[in-house]
Amino acid sequence: MQTTFSDEQLKDPGTSRANEILRACVHCGFCTATCPTYQVLGDELDSPRGRIYLIKDMLENEREPDAKTVKHIDRCLSCLACMTTCPSGVHYMHLVDHARDYIEQRYKRPFSDRALRWILARILPYPMRFRVALIGAKIGRPFARFMPDARLRAMLEMAPKHIPPVSRNDDPQTFQSKAPKKMRVALMTGCAQKALNTDINDATIRVLTRLGAEVVVAEGAGCCGALTHHMGKTSESHASAAKNIRAWVREMDEDGLDAIVINTSGCGTTVKDYGHMFRNDPLAKDAARVAGIARDVSEVLIELTAADEQGNDWQPEVEWNESATSSRRDEAMVVAYHAACSLQHGQQIKTHPKTLLKRAGFSVVEPSDPHLCCGSAGTYNLMQPEISTQLKERKVKTLEAKKPDVIAAGNIGCMMQIGSATQTPIVHSVELLDWAWGGPKPAALDGTFIRKDEIPRLR
């Protein structure tokens, strides 16, 4: 694509990067075939190619964003399926993130939009605030249908029936390896996940320590910054990210880290991009170091369960739980694997979770069109509920068509989104692996969604 940025414009690092990305686009339109919003809306401007034209025009002419451009940029899920499809290597993620920052600085949204985005940015990244908000939403949920704004209804309906107690395992501390030590890792405990489902981090700690990893929860680490980053609130997202960088670099420099383990794939995509986010910041070197060792939990588990030097496959020391069988008598439990967009498109991790689940004895199936987003996409299901609901219904239909015993995913947002529309239990992949390798049965599989005993301290 030909661009006409001036030399003066290209002095801005964001514009310079946008120029590189725009020039890589060849207008082929392959991206339209895998774009969820184009599939649902059928509008060229709601496809990556259409949005690229809007962004190019806005940036080149340095014009104030108009309502039309903002509407179509806001409708983007940032699922990044277009990046997987693109034959030209167009880095759409960096382009749309820059466009959102540009819009945030120059466009005055309607008051209701500004208020909603302000609330989300100041609640979701903070676990205790989010817990209080969930309790309030739970109380107000019966009145959701009376809310005139669909986004407010979505916020109330998002509240889970049960809010787990705080897990002290998420506090800064170190968990010693239960097996001969192979590595030392930092676990990113996240923000929203700590309020919505404490079992995921607990299961991750058990699995990692059982396989020979020393796990540290670093003092000062918290939200990765993804939620505010995708709203265009760059200063807020960078402030969150900077805290993580400093916390993890401190661990790297003191006792060393082999990996930063992330079990929420949306966070993983962002942390792995810290090098780009901070490329013009004094923290650039440290940010690149952190991004260089950031790993999805499935990547680390593949490494820890690799064959030994003699070529012998890894085997768990415990027998497979007798209860881990299908409701279909002696058959293996059928797991429908939902590939989170941030994992398969953002991080290009497509086989590891399925490989691990199969090794653990599960029968793994996938829905049709697994590349299409479920409609969660961070805060998208709260800010674009109509489109999100259509994508959710499509995803649930394709998952349920496989008649699984359980649905597994690697991202808390997807789990909440899909779980709100199906009776089939949905759990994190690592919870199933933990169960298969000697841990407790996931609470969702009991039909209670509540841990029957107090959350155990793992240290």
Side-chain angles (χ1 to χ4, degrees):
M1 176 180 289
Q2 184 177 2
T3 59
T4 58
F5 290 104
S6 67
D7 291 340
E8 188 65 28
Q9 287 176 309
L10 293 175
K11 290 179 181 178
D12 175 71
T15 302
S16 177
R17 175 61 175 149
N19 182 54
E20 294 173 1
I21 298 167
L22 290 167
R23 284 179 171 271
C25 179
V26 296
H27 323 273
C28 66
F30 282 14
C31 56
T32 61
T34 56
C35 176
T37 51
Y38 183 72
Q39 295 291 310
V40 169
L41 301 171
D43 188 334
E44 173 75 12
L45 294 180
D46 286 311
S47 73
R49 182 170 62 180
R51 293 185 180 109
I52 284 172
Y53 279 114
L54 289 173
I55 294 170
K56 175 180 182 292
D57 175 64
M58 179 176 67
L59 296 180
E60 275 188 338
N61 296 302
E62 295 184 333
R63 65 175 176 80
E64 294 297 310
D66 56 37
K68 177 183 177 181
T69 299
V70 173
K71 177 181 73 172
H72 293 295
I73 299 300
D74 283 353
R75 283 179 174 176
C76 176
L77 292 138
S78 285
C79 71
L80 309 181
C82 54
M83 286 179 58
T84 296
T85 309
C86 181
S88 303
V90 175
H91 205 302
Y92 179 80
M93 181 176 80
H94 289 169
L95 181 65
V96 76
D97 284 345
H98 177 64
R100 285 170 171 154
D101 174 75
Y102 184 95
I103 289 169
E104 183 69 13
Q105 294 183 43
R106 294 167 174 81
Y107 181 71
K108 187 172 183 179
R109 296 175 180 274
F111 174 77
S112 60
D113 287 5
R114 298 200 309 273
L116 176 63
R117 294 163 73 87
W118 185 90
I119 290 170
L120 293 176
R122 280 155 184 77
I123 290 180
L124 296 187
Y126 304 93
M128 291 310 298
R129 297 181 195 177
F130 191 27
R131 280 180 175 276
V132 173
L134 288 174
I135 294 170
K138 184 178 177 181
I139 295 170
R141 192 171 183 175
F143 308 101
R145 64 183 182 276
F146 299 115
M147 290 292 173
D149 192 320
R151 296 171 300 181
L152 295 177
R153 289 198 299 273
M155 291 178 70
L156 292 177
E157 291 167 355
M158 173 190 176
K161 294 180 180 178
H162 306 288
I163 302 170
V166 174
S167 173
R168 295 274 66 95
N169 298 318
D170 291 331
D171 296 342
Q173 58 193 293
T174 298
F175 299 90
Q176 299 300 324
S177 171
K178 299 291 195 300
K181 183 177 173 181
K182 298 179 181 177
M183 62 174 66
R184 184 175 190 266
V185 304
L187 173 64
M188 180 176 183
T189 56
C191 51
Q193 180 171 279
K194 290 201 293 190
L196 293 166
N197 189 329
T198 57
D199 289 349
I200 297 171
N201 284 343
D202 289 350
T204 302
I205 294 167
R206 283 192 297 267
V207 168
L208 289 172
T209 55
R210 192 181 297 130
L211 294 177
E214 179 182 299
V215 180
V216 58
V217 179
E219 179 79 45
C223 175
C224 69
L227 291 171
T228 47
H229 184 64
H230 296 311
M231 290 186 200
K233 298 180 181 295
T234 302
S235 60
E236 294 178 34
S237 67
H238 280 213
S240 297
K243 292 179 182 178
N244 288 333
I245 293 168
R246 293 188 180 98
W248 290 327
V249 165
R250 190 162 53 246
E251 291 292 339
M252 294 167 72
D253 290 342
E254 290 179 359
D255 297 314
L257 287 178
D258 297 295
I260 296 165
V261 179
I262 305 168
N263 56 20
T264 301
S265 60
C267 301
T269 301
T270 297
V271 176
K272 289 182 177 182
D273 201 45
Y274 277 1
H276 171 77
M277 290 170 60
F278 285 83
R279 66 195 184 282
N280 301 306
D281 188 275
L283 280 175
K285 184 177 179 180
D286 287 340
R289 290 177 65 196
V290 165
I293 64 168
R295 300 286 184 272
D296 182 72
V297 62
S298 64
E299 294 180 279
V300 176
L301 293 181
I302 284 288
E303 182 177 346
L304 288 171
T305 59
D308 60 24
E309 294 179 357
Q310 287 73 41
N312 300 315
D313 291 334
W314 175 86
Q315 295 294 333
E317 294 182 0
V318 297
E319 293 294 328
W320 169 254
N321 285 281
E322 293 182 2
S323 57
T325 54
S326 169
S327 55
R328 310 163 199 185
R329 296 185 297 278
D330 297 329
E331 297 178 13
M333 178 172 278
V334 177
V335 178
Y337 173 67
H338 164 70
C341 296
S342 46
L343 195 59
Q344 64 169 325
H345 303 309
Q347 301 181 52
Q348 293 294 307
I349 297 173
K350 301 180 181 181
T351 61
H352 289 349
K354 293 180 288 185
T355 298
L356 290 163
L357 288 168
K358 290 174 183 177
R359 284 183 188 172
F362 295 103
S363 176
V364 180
V365 296
E366 287 189 272
S368 58
D369 296 327
H371 62 280
L372 290 179
C373 184
C374 68
S376 174
T379 59
Y380 191 90
N381 54 355
L382 301 178
M383 294 195 286
Q384 302 284 340
E386 294 88 354
I387 302 172
S388 174
T389 297
Q390 293 182 61
L391 293 171
K392 174 173 67 176
E393 291 173 350
R394 174 186 287 194
K395 179 62 68 175
V396 169
K397 183 178 180 180
T398 58
L399 285 164
E400 290 183 337
K402 296 297 181 177
K403 302 186 185 305
D405 297 304
V406 62
I407 298 168
N411 189 60
I412 185 65
C414 301
M415 292 169 61
M416 297 300 297
Q417 174 83 342
I418 295 169
S420 69
T422 181
Q423 296 301 310
T424 304
I426 181 164
V427 299
H428 196 288
S429 304
V430 80
E431 292 183 85
L432 290 177
L433 297 173
D434 177 44
W435 180 33
W437 297 337
K441 185 177 184 179
L445 297 185
D446 288 327
T448 61
F449 299 92
I450 303 177
R451 182 179 289 282
K452 294 181 179 178
D453 52 358
E454 293 185 2
I455 294 177
R457 288 188 67 97
L458 300 176
R459 187 174 60 177

